[in-house]
Amino acid sequence: MRSDPRSRHRQTVLGAAATTFLLLLAGCAPAAPPPGSGTTADLGAYLEQELNWVGCKDTATSKADAELFANPALQCASVEVPLDYDKPEGKKAHIALTRLPAAGDAEGSLLLNPGGPGGSGTSFVASTLPQWQVSPVAERFDIVGFDPRGVRSSTPALDCYTDEEYDAGDATRFGAVHDIPSTKEATELAERCADGSGGIANLVNAGSTNVVRDMDIMRQVLGDDQLTYLGYSYGSELGAMYAAAYPEKVRAIVLDGAVSPDLTASEFRLSSFTGLQARFDDLAALCAESPDCVLGPDPAAANDRLHEIVQPLVETPAPTTGGRDLSVWDVYLGISGGLYSEAKWPNVISALTALQAGNADQMLALRDAFYARTADGAYGHDFDTNIAVRCMDSPRPTPEEQTALARKIGEAAPMFDIDVFTAGTHHSECEAWPAPPTRDEPWLTDIEGIPETLVVSVTGDPATPHEGGIAMARALGGSLLTVDGKQHGAYLLGGSKCVDDAVNKYLLDLETPPTDARCSL
């Protein structure tokens, strides 16, 4: 239930004391508040904030965003949080919020994160506004998206490369692993990220541990005694971490496209590429149903055929009508993004067909969609913040481990040209990062006393395989909704009334689906 703002501070102080006591009993101290988060008194000024909700016209960071946020139904605000929770009196970060106010009397807020790291919750609310406006959840709850620290409209901004450098292909390239061939390149990446982000302190406070702490401040400032949350993909990590750290502050948590808490970062990367290969195999079979399939009539030979198509771009990127060049790395990013949803597979086939005929424009469009690049050259998915968060989240592999991982990925996902993507020695992009990671592996531990949660997992998810959803539900002791289909994420995204109804019932009335419940896309 939503608290009376006038009594919010008193309830916050009492609630924090109860939190510490309960977690001491569970053997989890000092997990919530997480290590270094300071005392309630230290955070008092942050918890007493009053949000100033205004129109969103000044929130946009691109022309496309300006149109997206122009809808008068949306409101925007900013929440102050400590940049460094060990120094709450020091510099502040500002977390951007966008909300669709409840159509009826608001019973609370639904806080959501669309994934990443680097995804924008504010843009997600704006872009899915039509779905929310007809949703029964938005009748009773404010729908609130947030940009985690470093992302989009939140500050400080984290930047390693400019949009122009991404356009030119001058950013670090991402294949099986990031293309970091030596310690020198790893050091240069860390230095340019620190310089572009306004200093080391901004860079090293970007990890998920701090984002979870920010979420608890958001919850209290929004006036909610308990958190109601929806997280997709990486957002499932945030939701699970919050539940483990603050179990008594959880009302309802939906994790869609859940990341497996049982896998290390390297194991998870390998599982994702294995999932992409499975979906490419499906795409090749679909293509082979056409007599003029660009990948040929035999799906088993589609990997080799793809290598033939992209091989000319290894040395010479293909020009496009807009003046930009398409590299082999861009092709694989475009294909990978297209594999995220079965509905987009015809677009991938069409782009490959055009590329084979000498027209690179369609494939560049798929590559730009992967980055959420707008027509005016702004990048909507923040891959610089993605690097920063992952570097602060996970232990750093040695060059030997990273090189071995690249080879394993090449073997598990032969659609990727192994000579292009796995040749040579590979260093971790985080090797020279200026601070150690703030999470261990496994990253989800000491789970006790969590209310019923709901995991939504698609059987053919190419990015977060279904096995991970099963593992997440098991780890949280929660419910699992299995969804038959081939795409990344399901709720509000797949047009499945079965999925939407099940999630709505849980969010509204805390009723979880029966054991072994299934839907389809």
Side-chain angles (χ1 to χ4, degrees):
M1 294 293 291
R2 171 163 289 183
S3 64
D4 182 344
R6 293 171 296 182
S7 63
R8 185 185 306 149
H9 177 56
R10 178 177 61 82
Q11 293 173 348
T12 295
V13 174
L14 294 175
T19 298
T20 303
F21 178 67
L22 288 171
L23 288 171
L24 282 169
L25 288 179
C28 298
S37 61
T39 66
T40 301
D42 292 333
L43 299 177
Y46 297 100
L47 305 179
E48 295 171 1
Q49 295 177 75
E50 293 292 336
L51 295 176
N52 179 30
W53 293 104
V54 297
C56 297
K57 65 177 182 178
D58 295 329
T59 300
T61 56
S62 68
K63 292 180 180 178
D65 268 359
E67 297 177 4
L68 199 61
F69 285 102
N71 194 306
L74 296 174
Q75 300 174 343
C76 288
S78 179
V79 176
E80 283 190 345
V81 297
L83 177 67
D84 182 346
Y85 276 86
D86 284 334
K87 302 173 183 178
E89 299 300 324
K91 293 182 179 179
K92 297 176 176 60
H94 295 84
I95 310 302
L97 305 177
T98 294
R99 79 171 175 182
L100 171 67
D105 293 333
E107 299 175 17
S109 305
L110 171 62
L111 190 68
L112 61 84
N113 178 276
S120 166
T122 62
S123 294
F124 184 79
V125 169
S127 62
T128 56
L129 185 60
Q131 290 98 308
W132 288 115
Q133 287 179 316
V134 297
S135 167
V137 176
E139 285 283 333
R140 292 167 45 184
F141 286 83
D142 296 338
I143 309 302
V144 181
F146 72 99
D147 292 351
R149 50 176 62 203
V151 175
R152 209 61 169 261
S153 298
S154 293
T155 59
L158 301 182
D159 282 305
C160 306
Y161 299 95
T162 66
D163 290 346
E164 291 76 17
E165 286 173 319
Y166 271 105
D167 271 357
D170 293 335
T172 179
R173 298 175 298 187
F174 180 67
V177 294
H178 283 276
D179 185 32
I180 307 290
S182 70
T183 295
K184 178 177 181 291
E185 277 79 2
T187 301
E188 290 174 351
L189 174 62
E191 289 175 347
R192 71 176 296 141
C193 289
D195 291 343
S197 303
I200 290 176
N202 293 342
L203 192 65
V204 303
N205 282 292
S208 298
T209 302
N210 278 346
V211 176
V212 170
R213 299 168 182 170
D214 297 343
M215 286 167 58
D216 197 53
I217 290 180
M218 286 181 246
R219 174 193 61 78
Q220 298 196 53
V221 172
L222 287 167
D224 296 331
D225 293 334
Q226 294 180 307
L227 179 72
T228 301
Y229 175 82
L230 167 63
Y232 295 88
S233 194
Y234 161 71
S236 72
E237 294 184 40
L238 297 176
M241 289 174 65
Y242 186 95
Y246 306 101
E248 79 293 349
K249 296 181 182 179
V250 171
R251 175 187 172 273
I253 287 183
V254 176
L255 307 178
D256 192 348
V259 174
S260 174
D262 295 346
L263 301 180
T264 66
S266 294
E267 290 169 342
F268 172 67
R269 181 171 285 181
L270 178 59
S271 75
S272 294
F273 276 91
T274 302
L276 283 172
Q277 180 65 50
R279 300 292 76 78
F280 181 75
D281 293 344
D282 292 336
L283 178 146
L286 173 67
C287 182
E289 296 175 2
S290 172
D292 57 350
C293 171
V294 66
L295 295 172
D298 181 8
N303 296 319
D304 292 337
R305 176 68 184 126
L306 178 60
H307 297 170
E308 293 174 3
I309 295 171
V310 303
Q311 185 59 40
L313 280 68
V314 173
E315 296 295 335
T316 307
T320 66
T321 56
R324 295 161 56 204
D325 290 336
L326 179 82
S327 71
V328 64
W329 304 83
D330 294 329
V331 173
Y332 276 116
L333 287 176
I335 293 173
S336 298
L339 291 174
Y340 271 42
S341 172
E342 188 173 9
K344 296 181 180 178
W345 294 358
N347 296 342
V348 176
I349 295 171
S350 177
L352 283 170
T353 303
L355 182 62
Q356 173 66 14
N359 186 338
D361 288 3
Q362 289 186 49
M363 188 59 72
L364 183 65
L366 285 179
R367 176 266 187 202
D368 287 350
F370 180 89
Y371 281 113
R373 182 188 184 276
T374 62
D376 58 340
Y379 280 69
H381 290 165
D382 193 334
F383 280 79
D384 293 345
T385 298
N386 184 288
I387 292 173
V389 172
R390 289 309 190 193
C391 287
M392 292 307 301
D393 277 2
S394 303
R396 288 94 196 245
T398 65
E400 293 76 17
E401 292 169 334
Q402 190 80 333
T403 300
L405 173 62
R407 299 299 298 185
K408 288 180 181 178
I409 290 174
E411 293 165 2
M415 62 174 282
F416 295 91
D417 189 324
I418 196 168
D419 292 330
V420 173
F421 286 90
T422 65
T425 299
H426 297 272
H427 290 245
S428 168
E429 66 274 20
C430 307
E431 181 180 293
W433 219 248
T438 56
R439 294 197 315 187
D440 295 322
E441 291 180 337
W443 51 266
L444 186 63
T445 58
D446 299 320
I447 306 165
E448 293 187 24
I450 298 175
E452 187 77 3
T453 57
L454 176 59
V455 173
V456 180
S457 182
V458 180
T459 55
D461 190 319
T464 53
H466 182 50
E467 293 78 11
I470 296 172
M472 179 68 87
R474 180 175 61 242
L476 296 177
S479 294
L480 173 68
L481 177 62
T482 296
V483 184
D484 294 311
K486 297 174 182 178
Q487 74 173 31
H488 185 41
Y491 178 61
L492 292 185
L493 305 175
S496 171
K497 186 176 186 298
C498 175
V499 172
D500 295 351
D501 286 349
V503 175
N504 290 344
K505 183 177 293 186
Y506 168 68
L507 287 174
L508 291 171
D509 303 317
L510 303 181
E511 294 183 26
T512 54
T515 303
D516 298 327
R518 297 185 82 95
C519 293
S520 61
L521 296 177

